[in-house]
Amino acid sequence: MAGGRVFSNGPANISNINMNILLQNQQQTPRGNSSQQPLDSLFLSSSASFFGSRSMVSFEDVQGRKRRNRSFFGGFDLDENGEDEMDEYFHQSEKKRRLSVDQVQFLEKSFEEDNKLEPERKTKLAKDLGLQPRQVAIWFQNRRARWKTKQLEKDYDSLNDGYESLKTEYDNLLKEKDRLQSEVASLTEKVLEREKQEGKFKQGESETKEFLKEPTINKPLVDSVSEGEGSKLSIVEASNNNNNNNKLEDISSARSDILDCESPRYTDGVLETCDSSYVFEPEYQSDLSQDEEDHNLLPPYIFTKLEDVNYSDPPHNSTSYGFQEEDHHQALWPWSY
DNA sequence: TTGTGTTTTATTGCCTCC
DNA sequence: GGAGGCAATAAAACACAA
């Protein structure tokens, strides 16, 4: 039992008890309603204004800590022949007594100034409040504990707010990403549809195919990538057909002789660059018909360099890479249209 | 009035510092 | 080794609903 031994026998000097305080203590009303003067007056008043609280008696002789006898209640033992009043008092003193409102307010104010208690300050506070220095120390200790708990709660709330805020931001970004992906897919579909209408597919003149076949298409990209930057290539992928993944694989392998190490490639349906940290999985899959598939439709890829993409300020001189300038531009920065 | 939950006062044991 | 701080805890005091 941690706090069980309330009464331990220790040195006593009953004559040291201030009887006036004792008698006043007996007159206290419950819940510290004894005095309600303004707080400021507390600091102007003499220590006597605090006496008579429901607090513990004031012993002039502060217990030594030899034993380490920290027990406040253990400070005295009663003379069996003590007076009735004394008996009554000590009987009551066996129970904890709360500090008066004034005492607490005074201590609170002192705590606000400094939550650490130097010995001098402790002694002065104890004297002013008519408390044992030990009581003051205990009060500060408990007050610090309460403060710490509240601080932890505040910190938790603050962190929680930050988390919620970030989560909201993240969710919004996810939505934006989805929106952009479907926009890219939609635009890609339009491009393919246009190519289809122009009959270029049957003639093997698809701009998309040209884009994928043309070795020089890679040239600006490769040229623009300095040593060590190859992994920063990004691919705006706009696959429209689940089955196209297989075609992508074929395309990738077919083009492997064209693309150097800095170019992405398809492996097991996963687009990847030489840097394994940049792996792209096709997320969008559309419902193109088998007929369209038979036409060997190829998803266009827009190769860009990450550093070149400024989402807030669309470039005006970007390479089209097989798209018409406007379409390509719109595909990358759809919100600017 | 009573049961129950919360707050306050106080103790104990351990740790750190000088 | 003593003094002081802190965490854990006990227990009284208090609040409040039923």
Side-chain angles (χ1 to χ4, degrees):
Chain A
M1 184 173 80
R5 202 176 59 203
V6 174
F7 300 100
S8 61
N9 293 328
N13 188 348
I14 206 167
S15 65
N16 287 333
I17 300 170
N18 182 328
M19 280 304 297
N20 288 331
I21 296 172
L22 295 185
L23 293 175
Q24 287 179 22
N25 280 341
Q26 301 284 8
Q27 296 167 357
Q28 291 306 303
T29 55
R31 203 54 177 168
N33 294 329
S34 56
S35 58
Q36 300 292 341
Q37 71 259 49
L39 187 59
D40 287 348
S41 67
L42 300 177
F43 293 88
L44 300 174
S45 63
S46 70
S47 59
S49 66
F50 296 101
F51 293 173
S53 71
R54 300 178 64 239
S55 64
M56 299 310 232
V57 279
S58 175
F59 298 94
E60 288 179 12
D61 118 29
V62 176
Q63 300 223 352
R65 304 191 73 191
K66 278 206 165 171
R67 64 100 220 153
R68 270 191 100 175
N69 183 6
R70 288 162 152 183
S71 169
F72 174 75
F73 288 104
F76 49 87
D77 60 355
L78 284 174
D79 184 345
E80 288 182 358
N81 298 321
E83 299 176 17
D84 289 346
E85 283 184 2
M86 286 298 179
D87 283 343
E88 186 181 355
Y89 178 80
F90 281 113
H91 180 70
Q92 293 206 358
S93 74
E94 290 174 3
K95 301 194 173 183
K96 291 180 184 177
R97 296 184 174 203
R98 296 209 168 182
L99 305 182
S100 72
V101 173
D102 293 341
Q103 284 172 318
V104 170
Q105 284 179 337
F106 195 94
L107 288 166
E108 285 286 354
K109 198 149 187 171
S110 184
F111 183 84
E112 280 177 21
E113 291 172 3
D114 188 1
N115 68 350
K116 292 284 181 181
L117 194 60
E118 309 80 32
E120 282 184 12
R121 191 152 147 258
K122 178 170 68 179
T123 307
K124 187 175 186 307
L125 275 173
K127 189 181 174 187
D128 288 348
L129 294 169
L131 298 172
Q132 280 286 304
R134 171 95 187 123
Q135 278 181 291
V136 175
I138 288 169
W139 189 91
F140 265 74
Q141 217 165 80
N142 288 324
R143 186 65 182 81
R144 277 195 295 270
R146 287 197 294 271
W147 178 85
K148 190 177 177 182
T149 302
K150 281 215 167 72
Q151 200 60 33
L152 281 172
E153 286 172 1
K154 275 185 184 177
D155 290 348
Y156 171 80
D157 288 342
S158 172
L159 285 170
N160 202 39
D161 288 347
Y163 166 75
E164 292 297 337
S165 163
L166 281 172
K167 189 169 178 292
T168 303
E169 195 177 335
Y170 173 74
D171 289 342
N172 289 336
L173 284 171
L174 273 187
K175 284 176 188 170
E176 177 71 1
K177 177 196 160 203
D178 288 345
R179 190 185 68 78
L180 291 174
Q181 278 184 332
S182 17
E183 199 153 350
V184 167
S186 163
L187 290 168
T188 302
E189 208 163 336
K190 282 181 186 173
V191 170
L192 291 173
E193 185 63 28
R194 185 193 300 169
E195 289 184 351
K196 187 181 174 186
Q197 285 173 355
E198 289 173 356
K200 289 184 178 179
F201 273 104
K202 288 184 178 177
Q203 301 166 19
E205 296 174 358
S206 165
E207 288 179 353
T208 306
K209 287 180 80 174
E210 289 301 315
F211 160 71
L212 290 169
K213 275 183 177 178
E214 178 54 57
T216 56
I217 199 69
N218 220 28
K219 197 167 187 304
L221 175 70
V222 173
D223 287 347
S224 67
V225 178
S226 61
E227 200 67 23
E229 285 182 311
S231 62
K232 294 183 179 178
L233 293 173
S234 71
I235 301 171
V236 180
E237 189 271 329
S239 171
N240 286 338
N241 192 314
N242 189 26
N243 295 324
N244 278 350
N245 287 346
N246 294 331
K247 294 188 175 76
L248 293 174
E249 192 172 352
D250 295 341
I251 294 163
S252 179
S253 55
R255 295 183 65 233
S256 61
D257 56 334
I258 301 171
L259 304 173
D260 64 356
C261 186
E262 292 173 339
S263 302
R265 61 196 73 227
Y266 235 85
T267 306
D268 294 327
V270 174
L271 260 177
E272 55 186 355
T273 65
C274 288
D275 184 337
S276 60
S277 65
Y278 285 80
V279 177
F280 299 85
E281 288 190 41
E283 293 182 23
Y284 177 80
Q285 294 159 357
S286 77
D287 298 315
L288 286 183
S289 66
Q290 185 65 34
D291 183 52
E292 287 168 321
E293 184 186 345
D294 290 341
H295 283 302
N296 196 24
L297 296 181
L298 302 173
Y301 292 88
I302 304 164
F303 290 82
T304 60
K305 225 180 105 187
L306 279 180
E307 294 90 328
D308 293 337
V309 179
N310 181 348
Y311 291 96
S312 61
D313 184 17
H316 300 290
N317 297 316
S318 55
T319 311
S320 63
Y321 295 135
F323 285 106
Q324 288 183 10
E325 182 66 25
E326 186 181 336
D327 289 344
H328 170 66
H329 201 253
Q330 189 170 352
L332 283 176
W333 292 272
W335 55 84
S336 67
Y337 289 85

